[in-house]
């Protein structure tokens, strides 16, 4: 509503911890504490919000020769396409623009090993040193039913192929062994070294961009290792913004989830002179979206190969 399609986030930096005691109130009325006020560092980050969408056209003959519930199935297909498209846009922002840590070597062209405990430890240590906020608090366990505490954690998002390598790390705790009071997320498969991991097919695979990997890691053309990105991040490290027409129709409160995707169905006969025989219908989705890394100190991406199972 400010005349442009540029979204703005505002980041407030943490204050320096106080190590000096307050002095007795002997100052003047204009400064009774005898201490000057501190200034908060505020950083504005911007990103252009763009419009995305997809649609299909159906003619009369397609409707006539298919089952009556076809429209419901096509709506499901379009919904999946919308969700995956927005996920890909968000994925591209965090994978491409965060600081990368390599499982070995110092560049993609040198990587041919799977994700390691050392790489995960390095990332967690970096986020902790930078005071990145954890996503989840520590949870207690219960030895009588075979569960153990889960330490406060960051989130890690990785591909299904890398999931199997993380599961084999010594000390990995599968989600099945969490205590009952621990809430989990869709796709979460376990915790390791201060990271709770989620796996998804929407994490990217870069074919044949690593080093020669031999027979132990996945390769698309049997020449160089395929590389995967495992993103580990804290709260407020990444932002996303979606807009829809509902934003000007309703009032939202802090913390509410805003609508992002509009599904649009046009029935046969709705196109006027553009469809003189009432033969054409359409189904579409439309969304505004913008993704932005808000604090580069609170996010890292591990580049690794994956075991060829």
């Amino acid at each position: 509503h400010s005349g442009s399609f540029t979204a703005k986030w505002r980041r407030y930096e943490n204050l320096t911890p106080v190590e000096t005691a307050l002095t007795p109130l002997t100052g003047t009325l204009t400064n009774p504490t005898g201490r000057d006020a501190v200034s908060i560092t505020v950083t504005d980050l911007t990103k252009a919000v763009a419009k995305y969408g997809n649609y299909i056209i159906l003619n009369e003959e397609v409707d006539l020769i298919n089952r009556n519930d076809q429209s419901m199935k096509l709506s499901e297909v379009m919904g999946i396409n919308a969700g995956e498209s927005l996920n890909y846009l968000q994925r591209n922002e965090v994978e491409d623009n965060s600081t990368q840590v390599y499982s070995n070597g110092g560049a993609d062209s040198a990587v041919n090993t799977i994700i390691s405990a050392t790489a995960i430890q390095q990332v967690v240590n970096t986020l902790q040193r930078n005071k990145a906020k954890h996503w989840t608090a520590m949870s207690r366990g219960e030895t009588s039913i075979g569960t153990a505490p889960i330490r406060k954690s960051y989130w890690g998002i990785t591909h299904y192929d890398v999931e199997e390598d993380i599961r084999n790390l010594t000390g990995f705790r599968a989600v099945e062994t969490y205590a009952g009071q621990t809430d989990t997320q869709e796709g979460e498969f376990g915790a390791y070294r201060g990271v709770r991991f989620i796996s998804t097919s929407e994490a990217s695979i870069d074919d044949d961009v690593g080093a020669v990997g031999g027979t132990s890691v996945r390769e698309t053309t049997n020449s160089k290792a395929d590389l995967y990105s495992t993103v580990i991040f804290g709260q407020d490290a990444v932002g996303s913004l979606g807009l829809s027409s509902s934003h000007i129709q309703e009032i939202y409160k802090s913390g509410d989830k805003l609508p992002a995707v509009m599904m649009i169905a046009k029935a046969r006969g709705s196109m006027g002179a553009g469809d003189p025989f009432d033969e054409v219908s359409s189904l579409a989705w439309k969304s505004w979206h913008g993704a932005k890394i808000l604090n580069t100190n609170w996010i890292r991406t591990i580049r690794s190969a994956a075991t060829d199972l």
Side-chain angles (χ1 to χ4, degrees), residues 38-39 58 71 80 106 117 132 141 143 147 150 155 166-167 187 196 212 228 237 248 265 280 291 307:
V38 298
S39 297
L58 299 173
S71 294
I80 292 172
T143 56
T147 61
I150 302 295
W155 282 120
I166 294 174
R167 285 182 178 274
R196 287 172 58 174
V212 176
Y228 299 78
I248 60 175
V280 177
T307 300

Side-chain angles (χ1 to χ4, degrees), residues 10-21:
R10 176 157 290 173
R11 186 177 78 218
Y12 294 86
E13 306 293 353
N14 292 331
L15 295 174
T16 302
V18 176
E19 300 181 84
T20 304

Side-chain angles (χ1 to χ4, degrees), residues 104 108-113 208-217 219 222-226:
N104 69 300
D108 279 358
S109 59
V111 174
N112 60 3
T113 61
D208 299 328
V209 299
V212 176
T215 59
S216 61
V217 299
E219 301 170 341
N222 295 320
S223 59
K224 296 182 178 180
D226 298 339

Side-chain angles (χ1 to χ4, degrees), residues 115-122 169-170 192-193:
I115 194 168
S116 65
T118 300
I120 297 173
Q121 286 176 291
Q122 178 183 344
L169 295 173
T170 302
Y192 183 75
R193 301 276 186 175

Side-chain angles (χ1 to χ4, degrees), residues 245-294:
S245 59
S246 298
H247 280 217
I248 60 175
Q249 299 173 358
E250 301 179 25
I251 297 174
Y252 293 92
K253 297 179 296 184
S254 177
D256 288 348
K257 293 185 177 180
L258 304 181
V261 180
M262 291 170 278
M263 299 295 293
I264 305 164
K266 302 290 186 182
R268 292 199 306 271
S270 62
M271 296 178 61
D275 183 22
F277 295 104
D278 289 353
E279 294 180 302
V280 177
S281 62
S282 65
L283 183 63
W285 69 265
K286 180 174 68 174
S287 177
W288 291 85
H289 184 269
K292 181 73 173 180
I293 292 181
L294 305 180

Side-chain angles (χ1 to χ4, degrees), residues 176-219:
E176 296 89 346
T177 65
Y178 290 4
Q181 82 281 357
T182 304
D183 293 332
T184 59
Q185 300 296 317
E186 182 176 354
E188 184 175 354
F189 63 90
Y192 183 75
R193 301 276 186 175
V195 182
R196 287 172 58 174
F197 284 99
I198 295 171
S199 59
T200 172
S201 61
E202 292 168 16
S204 64
I205 306 174
D206 296 316
D207 298 341
D208 299 328
V209 299
V212 176
T215 59
S216 61
V217 299
R218 292 180 180 268
E219 301 170 341

